[in-house]
Protein backbone atom coordinates (compact mmCIF):
# COMPACT_ATOMS: atom_id res chain seq x y z
CA UNK A 1 0.00 0.00 0.00
CA UNK A 2 1.30 3.46 -0.78
CA UNK A 3 0.36 7.03 -0.11
CA UNK A 4 -1.99 7.08 -3.10
CA UNK A 5 -4.31 4.93 -1.01
CA UNK A 6 -5.66 7.98 0.76
CA UNK A 7 -7.45 9.07 -2.39
CA UNK A 8 -10.29 6.71 -1.72
CA UNK A 9 -12.10 9.28 0.37
CA UNK A 10 -13.40 10.55 -2.90
CA UNK A 11 -16.99 10.83 -1.86
CA UNK A 12 -16.98 10.92 1.93
CA UNK A 13 -18.02 13.34 4.60
CA UNK A 14 -15.60 13.23 7.53
CA UNK A 15 -16.21 13.77 11.22
CA UNK A 16 -13.86 12.92 14.07
CA UNK A 17 -14.84 9.72 15.80
CA UNK A 18 -13.72 6.35 17.08
CA UNK A 19 -13.96 2.83 15.71
CA UNK A 20 -16.69 0.50 16.79
CA UNK A 21 -16.88 -3.10 15.65
CA UNK A 22 -20.29 -3.76 14.09
CA UNK A 23 -22.13 -6.92 15.04
CA UNK A 24 -22.35 -7.90 11.36
CA UNK A 25 -18.66 -8.80 11.54
CA UNK A 26 -19.61 -11.87 13.56
CA UNK A 27 -21.68 -13.35 10.73
CA UNK A 28 -20.23 -16.31 8.86
CA UNK A 29 -20.94 -16.68 5.16
CA UNK A 30 -20.07 -19.23 2.52
CA UNK A 31 -16.83 -18.87 0.59
CA UNK A 32 -18.77 -18.58 -2.61
CA UNK A 33 -21.41 -15.95 -3.13
CA UNK A 34 -24.68 -17.42 -1.90
CA UNK A 35 -26.36 -14.05 -1.45
CA UNK A 36 -29.60 -13.62 -3.41
CA UNK A 37 -29.40 -11.51 -6.57
CA UNK A 38 -30.04 -7.78 -6.24
CA UNK A 39 -33.42 -6.33 -7.13
CA UNK A 40 -33.82 -5.20 -10.76
CA UNK A 41 -32.38 -1.78 -11.58
CA UNK A 42 -34.69 1.23 -11.30
CA UNK A 43 -35.97 2.76 -14.52
CA UNK A 44 -36.14 6.37 -15.71
CA UNK A 45 -38.10 8.52 -13.29
CA UNK A 46 -37.68 6.15 -10.38
CA UNK A 47 -35.46 6.97 -7.40
CA UNK A 48 -32.00 5.69 -8.28
CA UNK A 49 -32.80 5.33 -11.97
CA UNK A 50 -30.78 6.40 -15.01
CA UNK A 51 -30.67 9.77 -16.74
CA UNK A 52 -33.58 10.48 -19.03
CA UNK A 53 -32.92 10.39 -22.77
CA UNK A 54 -30.52 7.44 -22.89
CA UNK A 55 -30.57 5.12 -25.87
CA UNK A 56 -31.34 1.44 -25.41
CA UNK A 57 -27.62 0.67 -25.61
CA UNK A 58 -26.75 3.32 -23.04
CA UNK A 59 -29.46 2.07 -20.69
CA UNK A 60 -27.86 -1.35 -21.04
CA UNK A 61 -24.56 0.12 -19.80
CA UNK A 62 -26.37 1.56 -16.76
CA UNK A 63 -28.04 -1.76 -16.01
CA UNK A 64 -24.82 -3.73 -16.47
CA UNK A 65 -22.88 -1.47 -14.13
CA UNK A 66 -25.72 -1.64 -11.61
CA UNK A 67 -25.39 -5.42 -11.62
CA UNK A 68 -21.81 -5.16 -10.36
CA UNK A 69 -22.39 -2.21 -8.03
CA UNK A 70 -25.29 -4.00 -6.30
CA UNK A 71 -23.74 -7.45 -5.71
CA UNK A 72 -22.00 -8.89 -2.68
CA UNK A 73 -18.42 -9.81 -3.64
CA UNK A 74 -16.57 -12.88 -2.37
CA UNK A 75 -12.96 -14.17 -2.26
CA UNK A 76 -13.47 -16.14 -5.47
CA UNK A 77 -13.83 -12.82 -7.29
CA UNK A 78 -11.03 -10.96 -5.56
CA UNK A 79 -12.56 -9.69 -2.32
CA UNK A 80 -10.00 -9.15 0.44
CA UNK A 81 -7.93 -10.54 2.03
CA UNK A 82 -9.41 -7.72 4.08
CA UNK A 83 -12.05 -5.19 3.10
CA UNK A 84 -14.21 -2.49 4.62
CA UNK A 85 -17.44 -3.96 3.21
CA UNK A 86 -18.27 -6.79 0.79
CA UNK A 87 -20.14 -4.60 -1.70
CA UNK A 88 -20.45 -1.06 -3.01
CA UNK A 89 -24.13 -1.02 -2.08
CA UNK A 90 -23.46 -1.50 1.64
CA UNK A 91 -22.06 2.06 1.92
CA UNK A 92 -23.80 3.58 -1.11
CA UNK A 93 -27.23 2.09 -0.50
CA UNK A 94 -28.27 -0.31 2.26
CA UNK A 95 -28.06 -4.00 3.09
CA UNK A 96 -25.56 -6.64 4.19
CA UNK A 97 -26.07 -9.71 1.99
CA UNK A 98 -28.31 -8.07 -0.59
CA UNK A 99 -29.27 -4.54 -1.58
CA UNK A 100 -32.27 -3.49 0.50
CA UNK A 101 -32.19 0.23 -0.29
CA UNK A 102 -31.32 2.17 -3.45
CA UNK A 103 -27.94 1.68 -5.15
CA UNK A 104 -26.07 4.99 -5.12
CA UNK A 105 -27.80 6.31 -2.00
CA UNK A 106 -26.11 7.00 1.33
CA UNK A 107 -26.31 4.60 4.29
CA UNK A 108 -25.67 4.42 8.02
CA UNK A 109 -22.41 2.50 7.49
CA UNK A 110 -19.26 4.35 8.54
CA UNK A 111 -15.57 3.69 8.03
CA UNK A 112 -12.46 4.67 9.94
CA UNK A 113 -9.20 6.34 8.84
CA UNK A 114 -6.16 6.93 11.01
CA UNK A 115 -2.57 8.16 11.14
CA UNK A 116 -0.23 10.30 13.20
CA UNK A 117 2.02 13.33 12.96
CA UNK A 118 5.75 12.80 12.53
CA UNK A 119 8.35 14.73 14.52
CA UNK A 120 9.03 16.90 11.45
CA UNK A 121 5.29 17.81 11.21
CA UNK A 122 4.70 15.65 8.15
CA UNK A 123 1.76 13.28 8.33
CA UNK A 124 2.33 9.54 8.70
CA UNK A 125 -0.39 7.45 7.08
CA UNK A 126 1.11 4.35 8.75
CA UNK A 127 1.22 2.66 5.34
CA UNK A 128 4.96 2.06 5.10
CA UNK A 129 5.73 5.16 3.05
CA UNK A 130 7.11 8.61 3.73
CA UNK A 131 9.91 10.04 5.85
CA UNK A 132 9.10 7.74 8.77
CA UNK A 133 7.89 4.52 7.10
CA UNK A 134 5.82 2.42 9.49
CA UNK A 135 3.44 -0.09 7.95
CA UNK A 136 0.51 -0.71 10.27
CA UNK A 137 -2.01 -1.15 7.48
CA UNK A 138 -2.94 2.53 7.38
CA UNK A 139 -4.69 4.77 6.81
CA UNK A 140 -7.86 2.68 6.40
CA UNK A 141 -9.39 0.26 8.89
CA UNK A 142 -10.51 -2.84 7.01
CA UNK A 143 -13.12 -4.34 9.30
CA UNK A 144 -13.84 -7.54 7.36
CA UNK A 145 -11.59 -10.51 6.61
CA UNK A 146 -11.93 -13.34 4.13
CA UNK A 147 -11.56 -15.76 7.05
CA UNK A 148 -15.12 -14.83 7.93
CA UNK A 149 -16.38 -16.78 4.92
CA UNK A 150 -15.65 -19.87 6.97
CA UNK A 151 -14.84 -22.33 4.16
CA UNK A 152 -11.38 -21.19 3.12
CA UNK A 153 -9.25 -24.02 4.59
CA UNK A 154 -6.17 -22.79 6.44
CA UNK A 155 -7.21 -19.15 6.38
CA UNK A 156 -6.16 -17.84 9.79
CA UNK A 157 -6.99 -21.10 11.60
CA UNK A 158 -4.60 -22.34 14.28
CA UNK A 159 -4.73 -25.35 16.62
CA UNK A 160 -5.27 -24.96 20.36
CA UNK A 161 -2.96 -26.92 22.67
CA UNK A 162 -4.68 -30.19 23.52
CA UNK A 163 -3.61 -30.24 27.16
CA UNK A 164 -4.89 -27.19 29.06
CA UNK A 165 -5.04 -25.07 25.95
CA UNK A 166 -8.10 -23.36 27.39
CA UNK A 167 -8.26 -22.21 31.00
CA UNK A 168 -10.33 -19.72 32.94
CA UNK A 169 -9.76 -17.41 35.91
CA UNK A 170 -12.96 -15.69 36.91
CA UNK A 171 -14.37 -14.76 33.51
CA UNK A 172 -10.96 -14.26 31.86
CA UNK A 173 -10.15 -17.10 29.46
CA UNK A 174 -6.60 -17.82 28.30
CA UNK A 175 -6.18 -19.73 25.03
CA UNK A 176 -2.81 -21.32 24.22
CA UNK A 177 -2.04 -22.13 20.57
CA UNK A 178 0.42 -24.63 19.13
CA UNK A 179 2.24 -21.95 17.11
CA UNK A 180 2.55 -18.16 16.99
CA UNK A 181 -0.94 -16.84 16.21
CA UNK A 182 -0.24 -13.24 15.07
CA UNK A 183 -3.57 -12.15 16.53
CA UNK A 184 -4.04 -8.60 17.88
CA UNK A 185 -5.91 -6.96 20.71
CA UNK A 186 -9.33 -5.80 19.55
CA UNK A 187 -9.68 -8.46 16.88
CA UNK A 188 -12.16 -11.30 17.20
CA UNK A 189 -11.36 -15.00 17.54
CA UNK A 190 -13.75 -17.82 16.76
CA UNK A 191 -13.12 -20.77 19.11
CA UNK A 192 -14.34 -24.17 17.94
CA UNK A 193 -13.96 -27.75 19.11
CA UNK A 194 -12.67 -27.19 22.64
CA UNK A 195 -13.69 -30.13 24.85
CA UNK A 196 -15.57 -27.94 27.33
CA UNK A 197 -18.19 -26.25 25.18
CA UNK A 198 -18.34 -23.10 27.30
CA UNK A 199 -15.05 -21.99 25.73
CA UNK A 200 -16.44 -22.11 22.21
CA UNK A 201 -17.85 -19.06 20.44
CA UNK A 202 -16.71 -15.75 19.00
CA UNK A 203 -14.95 -13.36 21.38
CA UNK A 204 -13.04 -10.09 21.21
CA UNK A 205 -9.38 -10.47 22.15
CA UNK A 206 -8.52 -8.55 25.32
CA UNK A 207 -4.78 -9.17 25.69
CA UNK A 208 -1.81 -10.97 24.10
CA UNK A 209 0.42 -12.24 26.95
CA UNK A 210 2.71 -14.11 24.52
CA UNK A 211 2.79 -14.87 20.81
CA UNK A 212 1.12 -18.23 21.53
CA UNK A 213 -1.53 -17.06 24.00
CA UNK A 214 -4.39 -14.60 24.03
CA UNK A 215 -7.23 -13.82 26.41
CA UNK A 216 -10.88 -12.92 26.15
CA UNK A 217 -13.71 -12.25 28.59
CA UNK A 218 -16.31 -15.00 28.90
CA UNK A 219 -19.95 -14.68 29.85
CA UNK A 220 -19.70 -17.68 32.18
CA UNK A 221 -17.21 -18.64 34.89
CA UNK A 222 -16.11 -21.79 36.65
CA UNK A 223 -15.15 -23.72 33.52
CA UNK A 224 -12.78 -26.65 33.96
CA UNK A 225 -9.46 -26.60 32.12
CA UNK A 226 -9.74 -28.04 28.65
CA UNK A 227 -8.05 -27.94 25.24
CA UNK A 228 -8.01 -29.09 21.67
CA UNK A 229 -10.00 -27.50 18.87
CA UNK A 230 -9.06 -24.48 16.81
CA UNK A 231 -8.93 -20.71 17.03
CA UNK A 232 -9.85 -18.86 13.87
CA UNK A 233 -8.85 -15.23 13.89
CA UNK A 234 -11.16 -12.79 12.22
CA UNK A 235 -8.19 -10.56 11.39
CA UNK A 236 -9.91 -7.36 10.58
CA UNK A 237 -7.76 -4.35 11.21
CA UNK A 238 -7.97 -2.17 14.29
CA UNK A 239 -6.75 1.36 14.95
CA UNK A 240 -3.08 1.03 16.05
CA UNK A 241 -2.22 2.22 19.53
CA UNK A 242 0.20 4.84 18.19
CA UNK A 243 -2.38 6.48 15.88
CA UNK A 244 -3.05 9.99 17.15
CA UNK A 245 -5.57 11.07 14.50
CA UNK A 246 -8.72 9.02 13.93
CA UNK A 247 -11.61 10.00 11.65
CA UNK A 248 -14.94 8.37 10.97
CA UNK A 249 -16.26 8.69 7.43
CA UNK A 250 -19.68 8.23 5.89
CA UNK A 251 -20.44 7.90 2.20
CA UNK A 252 -23.04 10.27 0.73
CA UNK A 253 -25.21 9.55 -2.29
CA UNK A 254 -23.85 9.43 -5.84
CA UNK A 255 -26.86 10.77 -7.71
CA UNK A 256 -25.97 13.04 -10.63
CA UNK A 257 -22.21 12.80 -10.19
CA UNK A 258 -21.75 11.95 -13.86
CA UNK A 259 -22.72 15.56 -14.56
CA UNK A 260 -20.12 16.78 -12.06
CA UNK A 261 -17.52 14.51 -13.65
CA UNK A 262 -18.05 16.25 -16.99
CA UNK A 263 -17.77 19.88 -15.87
CA UNK A 264 -14.95 21.37 -17.99
CA UNK A 265 -11.78 22.00 -15.99
CA UNK A 266 -11.74 25.52 -17.38
CA UNK A 267 -15.12 26.28 -15.79
CA UNK A 268 -13.75 25.38 -12.34
CA UNK A 269 -10.49 27.25 -12.82
CA UNK A 270 -12.40 30.37 -13.92
CA UNK A 271 -13.72 30.72 -10.36
CA UNK A 272 -10.36 30.49 -8.59
CA UNK A 273 -10.19 33.44 -6.22
CA UNK A 274 -13.91 34.03 -6.78
CA UNK A 275 -13.22 37.07 -8.96
CA UNK A 276 -15.49 40.05 -8.54
CA UNK A 277 -17.21 39.01 -5.34
CA UNK A 278 -17.56 41.77 -2.72
CA UNK A 279 -16.84 39.60 0.31
CA UNK A 280 -13.12 38.91 -0.11
CA UNK A 281 -13.80 35.18 -0.30
CA UNK A 282 -11.11 33.25 -2.14
CA UNK A 283 -11.08 29.64 -3.27
CA UNK A 284 -8.31 27.53 -4.82
CA UNK A 285 -8.43 24.54 -7.12
CA UNK A 286 -6.83 21.39 -5.76
CA UNK A 287 -4.60 20.32 -8.63
CA UNK A 288 -4.04 16.57 -8.36
CA UNK A 289 -3.21 13.78 -10.85
CA UNK A 290 -6.05 12.03 -12.64
CA UNK A 291 -5.93 8.37 -13.68
CA UNK A 292 -3.59 9.33 -16.52
CA UNK A 293 -1.21 11.17 -14.16
CA UNK A 294 -2.25 14.56 -15.57
CA UNK A 295 -2.62 17.36 -13.02
CA UNK A 296 -6.21 18.62 -13.05
CA UNK A 297 -8.62 20.24 -10.58
CA UNK A 298 -10.10 17.70 -8.21
CA UNK A 299 -13.90 17.43 -8.24
CA UNK A 300 -14.66 14.79 -5.63
CA UNK A 301 -14.03 14.34 -1.93
CA UNK A 302 -14.18 16.68 1.02
CA UNK A 303 -10.63 17.70 0.08
CA UNK A 304 -11.24 17.57 -3.70
CA UNK A 305 -8.51 14.97 -3.92
CA UNK A 306 -9.94 12.88 -6.77
CA UNK A 307 -10.47 14.13 -10.32
CA UNK A 308 -12.80 11.62 -12.01
CA UNK A 309 -15.40 8.98 -11.26
CA UNK A 310 -13.24 6.38 -13.01
CA UNK A 311 -10.39 7.23 -10.66
CA UNK A 312 -12.73 7.14 -7.67
CA UNK A 313 -14.00 3.70 -8.67
CA UNK A 314 -10.48 2.31 -9.07
CA UNK A 315 -9.54 3.64 -5.63
CA UNK A 316 -12.66 2.29 -3.94
CA UNK A 317 -12.40 -1.08 -5.67
CA UNK A 318 -8.99 -1.60 -4.08
CA UNK A 319 -9.25 0.29 -0.83
CA UNK A 320 -12.75 -0.79 0.13
CA UNK A 321 -13.17 -4.21 -1.52
CA UNK A 322 -9.51 -5.24 -1.63
CA UNK A 323 -9.66 -6.03 -5.36
CA UNK A 324 -6.37 -5.25 -7.10
CA UNK A 325 -6.28 -3.32 -10.37
CA UNK A 326 -3.81 -1.74 -12.74
CA UNK A 327 -3.53 0.40 -15.84
CA UNK A 328 -4.78 -0.91 -19.18
CA UNK A 329 -6.70 -0.25 -21.23
CA UNK A 330 -7.05 3.13 -19.45
CA UNK A 331 -4.78 5.15 -17.21
CA UNK A 332 -1.14 5.04 -16.19
CA UNK A 333 0.39 2.47 -13.84
CA UNK A 334 1.27 4.89 -11.02
CA UNK A 335 -2.41 5.66 -10.38
CA UNK A 336 -3.59 2.10 -9.73
CA UNK A 337 -3.18 -0.63 -7.10
CA UNK A 338 -1.64 -3.90 -8.32
CA UNK A 339 -0.46 -5.26 -4.94
CA UNK A 340 -2.60 -6.79 -2.22
CA UNK A 341 -3.03 -4.82 0.98
CA UNK A 342 -1.18 -6.29 3.99
CA UNK A 343 -3.63 -6.52 6.90
CA UNK A 344 -2.25 -4.32 9.68
CA UNK A 345 0.95 -4.28 7.62
CA UNK A 346 1.54 -8.02 8.15
CA UNK A 347 1.70 -10.91 5.68
CA UNK A 348 -1.44 -13.01 5.36
CA UNK A 349 -1.88 -16.75 4.64
CA UNK A 350 -2.20 -17.40 0.92
CA UNK A 351 -5.30 -19.48 1.63
CA UNK A 352 -7.11 -16.27 2.60
CA UNK A 353 -7.10 -15.05 -1.02
CA UNK A 354 -8.43 -17.55 -3.53
CA UNK A 355 -8.48 -15.25 -6.58
CA UNK A 356 -5.06 -15.67 -8.20
CA UNK A 357 -5.64 -13.25 -11.08
CA UNK A 358 -3.07 -10.46 -11.17
CA UNK A 359 -4.66 -7.98 -11.14
CA UNK A 360 -7.96 -9.34 -9.88
CA UNK A 361 -9.95 -6.82 -11.91
CA UNK A 362 -8.82 -8.27 -15.22
CA UNK A 363 -8.58 -5.64 -17.97
CA UNK A 364 -10.40 -3.12 -15.71
CA UNK A 365 -13.75 -4.70 -16.61
CA UNK A 366 -15.30 -4.22 -13.16
CA UNK A 367 -14.24 -0.61 -12.68
CA UNK A 368 -15.25 0.35 -16.23
CA UNK A 369 -18.75 -1.06 -15.84
CA UNK A 370 -19.31 0.32 -12.34
CA UNK A 371 -18.17 3.74 -13.53
CA UNK A 372 -20.72 3.57 -16.34
CA UNK A 373 -23.45 3.05 -13.74
CA UNK A 374 -22.21 6.00 -11.67
CA UNK A 375 -21.90 8.26 -14.71
CA UNK A 376 -25.44 7.55 -15.89
CA UNK A 377 -27.12 7.73 -12.47
CA UNK A 378 -29.69 10.53 -12.55
CA UNK A 379 -29.65 13.39 -10.02
CA UNK A 380 -32.45 13.74 -7.52
CA UNK A 381 -35.01 15.99 -9.26
CA UNK A 382 -35.71 19.31 -7.52
CA UNK A 383 -39.10 19.86 -5.95
CA UNK A 384 -41.40 22.59 -7.35
CA UNK A 385 -40.65 26.00 -5.80
CA UNK A 386 -42.85 27.32 -3.03
CA UNK A 387 -43.09 30.80 -1.49
CA UNK A 388 -40.96 29.51 1.40
CA UNK A 389 -38.18 28.13 -0.81
CA UNK A 390 -38.19 31.24 -3.02
CA UNK A 391 -37.82 33.45 0.05
CA UNK A 392 -34.97 31.24 1.25
CA UNK A 393 -33.26 31.50 -2.13
CA UNK A 394 -33.37 35.29 -1.90
CA UNK A 395 -31.69 35.22 1.51
CA UNK A 396 -29.17 32.67 0.20
CA UNK A 397 -28.11 35.10 -2.52
CA UNK A 398 -28.27 38.28 -0.44
CA UNK A 399 -25.95 37.06 2.31
CA UNK A 400 -23.35 35.75 -0.15
CA UNK A 401 -23.84 31.99 0.02
CA UNK A 402 -24.02 31.85 -3.77
CA UNK A 403 -20.46 33.21 -4.09
CA UNK A 404 -19.12 29.75 -3.25
CA UNK A 405 -22.23 27.63 -3.73
CA UNK A 406 -22.47 28.48 -7.42
CA UNK A 407 -25.87 27.44 -8.69
CA UNK A 408 -25.19 26.11 -12.15
CA UNK A 409 -22.55 24.63 -14.43
CA UNK A 410 -22.79 23.29 -17.97
CA UNK A 411 -21.14 20.01 -18.90
CA UNK A 412 -18.73 19.73 -21.80
CA UNK A 413 -19.75 18.83 -25.35
CA UNK A 414 -19.71 15.36 -26.88
CA UNK A 415 -19.26 13.33 -23.69
CA UNK A 416 -18.29 9.68 -24.18
CA UNK A 417 -17.59 6.95 -21.64
CA UNK A 418 -14.90 4.30 -21.33
CA UNK A 419 -15.87 0.84 -22.49
CA UNK A 420 -14.18 -2.53 -22.10
CA UNK A 421 -11.35 -3.44 -24.49
CA UNK A 422 -10.26 0.22 -24.59
CA UNK A 423 -13.27 1.38 -26.58
CA UNK A 424 -15.37 4.53 -26.18
CA UNK A 425 -19.11 4.85 -26.40
CA UNK A 426 -20.80 7.14 -28.82
CA UNK A 427 -21.74 10.61 -27.58
CA UNK A 428 -23.98 10.48 -24.49
CA UNK A 429 -26.47 13.29 -25.18
CA UNK A 430 -27.83 13.10 -21.62
CA UNK A 431 -24.38 14.13 -20.30
CA UNK A 432 -23.41 16.61 -23.02
CA UNK A 433 -24.04 20.37 -22.89
CA UNK A 434 -26.31 19.89 -19.87
CA UNK A 435 -26.84 22.79 -17.47
CA UNK A 436 -27.45 21.52 -13.94
CA UNK A 437 -27.40 22.89 -10.40
CA UNK A 438 -24.70 21.49 -8.09
CA UNK A 439 -24.45 24.61 -5.87
CA UNK A 440 -20.66 24.35 -5.53
CA UNK A 441 -17.58 26.02 -6.96
CA UNK A 442 -15.52 22.81 -6.56
CA UNK A 443 -12.77 24.83 -4.89
CA UNK A 444 -11.00 24.56 -1.54
CA UNK A 445 -11.58 27.22 1.11
CA UNK A 446 -9.55 27.67 4.29
CA UNK A 447 -12.11 27.57 7.09
CA UNK A 448 -9.62 28.51 9.80
CA UNK A 449 -8.37 26.80 12.93
CA UNK A 450 -11.89 26.37 14.26
CA UNK A 451 -12.74 23.89 11.52
CA UNK A 452 -9.93 21.34 11.26
CA UNK A 453 -10.60 17.65 11.07
CA UNK A 454 -9.79 14.36 9.49
CA UNK A 455 -6.39 13.64 8.05
CA UNK A 456 -4.71 15.41 5.13
CA UNK A 457 -5.41 13.53 1.90
CA UNK A 458 -2.82 14.36 -0.72
CA UNK A 459 -2.41 11.89 -3.60
CA UNK A 460 1.29 11.08 -3.77
CA UNK A 461 2.15 14.20 -1.81
CA UNK A 462 0.52 16.53 -4.34
CA UNK A 463 -2.32 18.99 -3.97
CA UNK A 464 -3.01 22.00 -1.79
CA UNK A 465 -5.53 20.77 0.80
CA UNK A 466 -4.60 21.22 4.45
CA UNK A 467 -6.47 20.18 7.58
CA UNK A 468 -8.43 23.45 7.58
CA UNK A 469 -9.19 23.52 3.86
CA UNK A 470 -12.47 22.04 2.63
CA UNK A 471 -14.38 21.91 -0.61
CA UNK A 472 -17.63 23.75 -1.06
CA UNK A 473 -20.09 20.94 -0.52
CA UNK A 474 -22.60 20.51 -3.38
Amino acid sequence: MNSRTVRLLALTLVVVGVLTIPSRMLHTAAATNTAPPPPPPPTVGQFGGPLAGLTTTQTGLFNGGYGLFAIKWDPIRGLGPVSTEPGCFTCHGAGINVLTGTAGDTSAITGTRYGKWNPDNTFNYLDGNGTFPENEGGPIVHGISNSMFGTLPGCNVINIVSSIGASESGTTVTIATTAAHKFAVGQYAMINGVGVSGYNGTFQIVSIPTNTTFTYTNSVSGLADSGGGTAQNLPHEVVPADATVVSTVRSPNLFGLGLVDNIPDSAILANVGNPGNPYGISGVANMVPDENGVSRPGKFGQKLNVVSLFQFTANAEFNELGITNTAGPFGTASQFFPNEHLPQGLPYPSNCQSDTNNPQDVSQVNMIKMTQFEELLAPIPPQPPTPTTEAGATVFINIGCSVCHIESFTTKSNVTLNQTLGRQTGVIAALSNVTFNPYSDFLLHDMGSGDPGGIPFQPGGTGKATLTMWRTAP
Side-chain angles (χ1 to χ4, degrees):
M1 189 177 207
N2 54 44
S3 60
R4 293 193 308 276
T5 304
V6 299
R7 290 176 295 161
L8 88 117
L9 289 180
L11 299 170
T12 52
L13 177 65
V14 176
V15 293
V16 175
V18 295
L19 174 67
T20 57
I21 305 301
S23 60
R24 67 179 182 280
M25 291 180 54
L26 306 185
H27 297 175
T28 301
T32 55
N33 199 337
T34 58
T43 58
V44 173
Q46 293 181 322
F47 184 55
L51 293 164
L54 299 181
T55 66
T56 301
T57 299
Q58 292 163 358
T59 301
L61 297 179
F62 174 86
N63 292 342
Y66 169 91
L68 290 175
F69 192 94
I71 64 168
K72 180 179 180 179
W73 294 83
D74 56 56
I76 302 300
R77 292 187 286 185
L79 185 76
V82 287
S83 55
T84 62
E85 292 294 337
C88 304
F89 68 88
T90 52
C91 292
H92 297 284
I96 299 300
N97 290 310
V98 66
L99 174 66
T100 57
T102 299
D105 200 0
T106 187
S107 75
I109 301 296
T110 60
T112 301
R113 312 293 186 253
Y114 61 86
K116 69 180 183 180
W117 292 101
N118 291 319
D120 63 354
N121 289 323
T122 58
F123 195 81
N124 191 334
Y125 296 97
L126 296 175
D127 63 352
N129 294 288
T131 310
F132 298 86
E134 301 170 74
N135 194 346
E136 299 183 54
I140 302 148
V141 171
H142 296 87
I144 293 176
S145 163
N146 282 356
S147 66
M148 294 177 62
F149 281 77
T151 53
L152 294 172
C155 178
N156 303 96
V157 177
I158 194 166
N159 291 324
I160 297 172
V161 173
S162 59
S163 175
I164 315 182
S167 59
E168 187 176 54
S169 176
T171 57
T172 299
V173 170
T174 299
I175 298 294
T177 58
T178 58
H181 51 65
K182 298 183 180 179
F183 296 177
V185 172
Q187 295 178 345
Y188 285 78
M190 186 181 297
I191 311 300
N192 292 303
V194 176
V196 175
S197 61
Y199 288 107
N200 297 321
T202 300
F203 307 93
Q204 189 169 20
I205 297 170
V206 174
S207 68
I208 308 288
T210 71
N211 64 0
T212 58
T213 60
F214 63 89
T215 71
Y216 64 82
T217 301
N218 208 348
S219 60
V220 297
S221 60
L223 297 178
D225 292 345
S226 188
T230 61
Q232 181 180 18
N233 185 19
L234 306 185
H236 63 275
E237 295 177 323
V238 296
V239 176
D242 58 338
T244 57
V245 180
V246 181
S247 297
T248 299
V249 301
R250 182 183 178 189
S251 302
N253 68 65
L254 311 180
F255 304 125
L257 292 187
L259 298 169
V260 173
D261 197 23
N262 288 289
I263 296 173
D265 292 354
S266 58
I268 295 174
L269 295 174
N271 293 310
V272 170
N274 288 325
N277 81 81
Y279 302 99
I281 298 171
S282 179
V284 297
N286 198 23
M287 303 300 292
V288 290
D290 65 6
E291 65 268 23
N292 298 308
V294 177
S295 181
R296 296 173 54 201
K299 297 175 183 174
F300 302 106
Q302 87 285 0
K303 301 289 188 180
L304 294 174
N305 54 332
V306 171
V307 175
S308 70
L309 281 180
F310 184 77
Q311 187 181 33
F312 158 71
T313 305
N315 296 343
E317 181 181 49
F318 174 74
N319 289 299
E320 308 291 354
L321 299 177
I323 298 173
T324 57
N325 54 52
T326 190
F330 301 105
T332 189
S334 63
Q335 301 302 310
F336 293 90
F337 308 92
N339 301 315
E340 288 283 16
H341 175 73
L342 299 181
Q344 217 77 64
L346 300 174
Y348 60 91
S350 59
N351 289 332
C352 290
Q353 179 50 269
S354 51
D355 185 345
T356 58
N357 287 310
N358 185 22
Q360 290 151 349
D361 186 353
V362 179
S363 300
Q364 301 182 329
V365 169
N366 295 334
M367 71 177 87
I368 289 171
K369 291 186 175 183
M370 286 190 287
T371 302
Q372 290 169 348
F373 163 73
E374 295 155 7
E375 292 276 2
L376 299 174
L377 189 60
I380 300 173
Q383 298 299 307
T386 67
T388 300
T389 60
E390 290 181 334
T394 299
V395 174
F396 185 86
I397 294 170
N398 289 343
I399 66 174
C401 298
S402 59
V403 171
C404 301
H405 293 275
I406 296 174
E407 179 178 0
S408 63
F409 280 86
T410 300
T411 61
K412 59 190 177 184
S413 304
N414 301 321
V415 173
T416 63
L417 300 181
N418 293 341
Q419 285 190 283
T420 56
L421 303 177
R423 300 168 297 167
Q424 292 291 128
T425 67
V427 171
I428 311 287
L431 288 173
S432 305
N433 288 315
V434 175
T435 298
F436 69 109
N437 305 122
Y439 287 92
S440 176
D441 57 7
F442 301 99
L443 299 176
L444 293 171
H445 296 268
D446 195 327
M447 306 304 291
S449 59
D451 195 13
I455 64 178
F457 293 99
Q458 303 298 340
T462 64
K464 298 179 179 179
T466 66
L467 284 181
T468 60
M469 297 180 75
W470 303 91
R471 70 163 179 176
T472 303

